[in-house]
Amino acid sequence: MAAIETGRPVIPLYIQTEAPSSRRQGAASRWWLHHSLESLSKDLNAIGGKLIMRVGDPASVLATMCKSARADAVYVSKGYEPQMDAQDLSLANQMGQVGIQWKSFPGHLLWEPETIRNKSGKPFQVFTPFWKSASQSLKPITPLPVPTHWPAPVVWPKSDSLSKCNYLPSTHWDQGFSTVWAPGEQGAHENLKRFAGQKFDSYQVERDFPAIEGTSRLSAHLHFGEITPNQILHECLQVGVQAGKSSLSVIQSTFMREIGWREFAHHLLIHFPSTTERPLRPEFESFPWRKDSEMLAAWQKGQTGYPIVDAGMRELWATGWMHNRVRMIVGSFLVKHLLMDWKEGERWFWNTLVDADLANNTMGWQWIAGCGADAAPYFRIFNPITQSEKFAGNGNYVRRWIPELKDLADAHLHAPWKASASTLEGAGIILGKSYPNPVVNHMIARETALDAYQRMRSTKKK
Ligand SMILES: Cc1cc2nc3c(=O)[nH]c(=O)nc-3n(C[C@H](O)[C@H](O)[C@H](O)COP(=O)(O)OP(=O)(O)OC[C@H]3O[C@@H](n4cnc5c(N)ncnc54)[C@H](O)[C@@H]3O)c2cc1C
């Protein structure tokens, strides 16, 4: 909009780069990105614009493009990952040297992460005071309208084709994704309207039950900038105020608090950039993680013998998404029951989540492992059986993703190995054949994990 307001022609440009210093997008994210760009391209065409795509080094693509189009400024939406930040800075310098202005705009977050500080001027490491301090100044800005006409140049520059970016997987792994997701701005806003109108009020109660579609499913839309947190806040406020709620109660709602966790994750990533690779709490550097590729593969494929864990991992593989409650259960299972390094889980999620996000994923895994900011203490070990009974008690979620257990009664569904031989036979299950035996014993795994934790702590004291 800022570029359009100059009254000069505007060329929408997307550059695909594989800068060696940046983390390559995961496979599921690339699927989303492909369809998101396709959708953006269509939206631009509809108002007389055109998305120009180029594969190459951003600095040279920009320099060539600016020269041939006689452009005098580049307008960008600011990136909030440390490497993006560094890249923006370097591009701004390079453009500056050839007399091209660099105009960078916020929007991806509600606050600039550097601006939120505690009383001693340091970054927050605990969520509640962060949110208390930040949300006090939260004022929604009226979102800008979508432009109705595009100020096109007389001649459009040539564009590479989207297929040159090579974003789609070579197998049919992504087959199920398009039945669940509609990447692009329209899909994002439809989701938001449905959520704000029908689900916002019940969110606090329903958000923990994976069989219910009780959450917004906006994470990938947010990650790819198809919607902004300000637009979400604005819509929730409008719907809420119309229904007689106060603005304060909307801002302080459980849902906006979750949007706040996303802000907190970006705050942490900017202030502690090494956490993508290393634990925030240094004592965890010496944690005796286990290496076991078979165990890891069982977890990745949803073959651990713990139904709630397997259901989650299969949902992830089939749809590129997993419910938050189940992310916590499978994460805890990997780092505590299987004693595997949280980075193994982080990498798998990175590759298979359509909403894979450096800030949220890093914080989520460090939270699970107990080594991050405001993290669950390591000794809080999720029990996959009681979690399943509590949050997936009616069995719908497990039956949906593990059809081989569909005929097992609810009472046995969460721990099938405890069922009698005749019950299993009646449900057509042969443990170890049609469905795996549990890869670890819950109680023994729990004790082993606590032991490993104690050893790490005593090493620290020495
Ligand atoms: C181990 C682990 C890994 C995770 N990895 C990611 C990731 O790569 N990308 C990602 O977007 N989220 C991640 N999360 C956070 C959370 O699970 C997802 O944001 C959420 O499930 C997305 O569904 P939703 O949009 O329906 O969420 P809603 O419940 O509707 O929440 C609305 C929005 O708030 C934000 N949000 C919600 N919960 C969290 C949270 N715990 N931390 C940070 N932001 C949150 C998301 O942007 C989300 O879209 C992870 C959580 C865990 C435990």
Side-chain angles (χ1 to χ4, degrees):
M1 289 303 282
I4 288 174
E5 276 162 16
T6 63
R8 303 202 56 199
V10 179
I11 300 169
L13 175 64
Y14 173 78
I15 307 172
Q16 157 63 20
T17 172
E18 293 289 356
S21 59
S22 65
R23 174 127 40 128
R24 192 176 193 261
Q25 275 141 344
S29 295
R30 288 161 81 90
W31 174 88
W32 188 288
L33 182 55
H34 176 98
H35 293 287
S36 185
L37 287 166
E38 213 166 47
S39 159
L40 176 61
S41 183
K42 274 192 202 140
D43 291 348
L44 284 167
N45 288 347
I47 53 170
K50 191 172 175 180
L51 182 61
I52 304 298
M53 299 189 204
R54 289 284 166 90
V55 178
D57 167 59
S60 47
V61 170
L62 277 175
T64 318
M65 185 77 82
C66 288
K67 196 169 171 204
S68 63
R70 286 201 259 145
D72 58 8
V74 175
Y75 288 73
V76 298
S77 180
K78 192 173 166 193
Y80 289 90
E81 288 169 12
Q83 281 156 353
M84 285 183 185
D85 222 21
Q87 175 174 279
D88 282 5
L89 203 64
S90 142
L91 286 173
N93 280 334
Q94 292 177 66
M95 293 299 111
Q97 282 164 17
V98 288
I100 293 163
Q101 295 177 64
W102 185 263
K103 307 250 185 186
S104 171
F105 294 83
H108 193 63
L109 295 173
L110 289 166
W111 298 275
E112 292 301 285
E114 311 83 31
T115 61
I116 315 265
R117 301 270 169 169
N118 65 19
K119 283 191 181 124
S120 16
K122 298 218 167 90
F124 283 97
Q125 291 196 43
V126 180
F127 174 73
T128 302
F130 165 85
W131 183 236
K132 201 170 161 210
S133 158
S135 61
Q136 271 167 4
S137 62
L138 189 53
K139 285 195 189 73
I141 306 159
T142 308
L144 295 170
V146 177
T148 47
H149 296 291
W150 197 265
V154 180
V155 183
W156 283 105
K158 281 204 179 105
S159 175
D160 285 333
S161 72
L162 177 55
S163 58
K164 197 171 171 195
C165 294
N166 221 357
Y167 285 154
L168 295 178
S170 51
T171 63
H172 294 301
W173 161 52
D174 57 336
Q175 239 168 10
F177 291 11
S178 41
T179 59
V180 189
W181 304 111
E185 221 172 324
Q186 191 186 339
H189 286 273
E190 278 170 9
N191 246 10
L192 174 60
K193 285 225 171 317
R194 177 192 56 82
F195 177 79
Q198 300 164 22
K199 296 284 176 182
F200 181 86
D201 287 341
S202 50
Y203 179 80
Q204 188 174 359
V205 178
E206 294 192 342
R207 73 189 178 116
D208 264 324
F209 300 95
I212 301 175
E213 204 172 312
T215 65
S216 70
R217 295 186 172 234
L218 283 168
S219 47
H221 297 292
L222 269 165
H223 172 78
F224 284 99
E226 298 165 0
I227 200 161
T228 67
N230 176 61
Q231 287 171 323
I232 295 176
L233 171 63
H234 189 261
E235 178 72 20
C236 291
L237 275 171
Q238 274 206 324
V239 174
V241 170
Q242 265 168 25
K245 292 190 189 84
S246 70
S247 302
L248 191 65
S249 73
V250 174
I251 290 172
Q252 290 179 346
S253 65
T254 310
F255 177 68
M256 282 313 299
R257 204 179 148 85
E258 292 306 310
I259 298 284
W261 272 100
R262 175 178 179 271
E263 299 283 326
F264 185 53
H266 284 82
H267 175 82
L268 292 175
L269 184 62
I270 288 287
H271 291 292
F272 307 101
S274 65
T275 51
T276 55
E277 303 298 326
R278 305 180 66 173
L280 183 72
R281 296 175 55 187
E283 65 268 31
F284 275 82
E285 300 265 17
S286 65
F287 195 90
W289 302 116
R290 226 184 242 157
K291 283 217 178 298
D292 185 334
S293 53
E294 259 179 50
M295 223 38 136
L296 182 62
W299 179 80
Q300 290 169 338
K301 290 180 185 156
Q303 295 287 345
T304 67
Y306 281 85
I308 189 73
V309 175
D310 294 343
M313 298 309 290
R314 294 185 197 187
E315 178 183 29
L316 173 61
W317 186 253
T319 68
W321 186 85
M322 192 196 297
H323 189 278
N324 182 59
R325 167 64 45 185
V326 192
R327 290 186 203 203
M328 294 194 283
I329 300 171
V330 304
S332 173
F333 191 83
L334 183 77
V335 295
K336 294 175 184 172
H337 285 74
L338 303 184
L339 279 183
M340 301 256 179
D341 192 338
W342 60 272
K343 289 201 287 298
E344 295 283 5
E346 192 275 334
R347 292 290 193 270
W348 185 254
F349 271 30
W350 180 257
N351 214 17
T352 52
L353 277 172
V354 289
D355 66 21
D357 181 273
L358 199 58
N360 286 355
N361 205 30
T362 302
M363 181 183 72
W365 278 100
Q366 293 225 16
W367 186 88
I368 287 291
C371 59
D374 205 1
Y378 186 85
F379 51 79
R380 183 174 168 210
I381 298 180
F382 280 68
N383 177 331
I385 306 157
T386 50
Q387 285 282 314
S388 186
E389 286 165 350
K390 191 167 169 198
F391 297 108
N394 65 13
N396 291 347
Y397 181 70
V398 168
R399 286 196 184 88
R400 173 159 184 219
W401 296 110
I402 313 188
E404 56 270 40
L405 298 181
K406 71 178 181 344
D407 293 326
L408 203 55
D410 293 353
H412 306 293
L413 198 58
H414 311 284
W417 64 93
K418 290 185 180 169
S420 68
S422 62
T423 305
L424 289 172
E425 198 185 335
I429 298 162
I430 307 171
L431 277 189
K433 271 198 164 169
S434 58
Y435 184 69
N437 278 303
V439 289
V440 283
N441 171 295
H442 166 65
M443 287 314 290
I444 297 175
R446 189 186 139 78
E447 291 311 315
T448 314
L450 292 176
D451 226 44
Y453 177 64
Q454 280 313 332
R455 266 188 288 140
M456 177 196 80
R457 294 194 59 184
S458 45
T459 318
K460 185 190 159 199
K461 278 183 200 136
K462 275 177 201 159

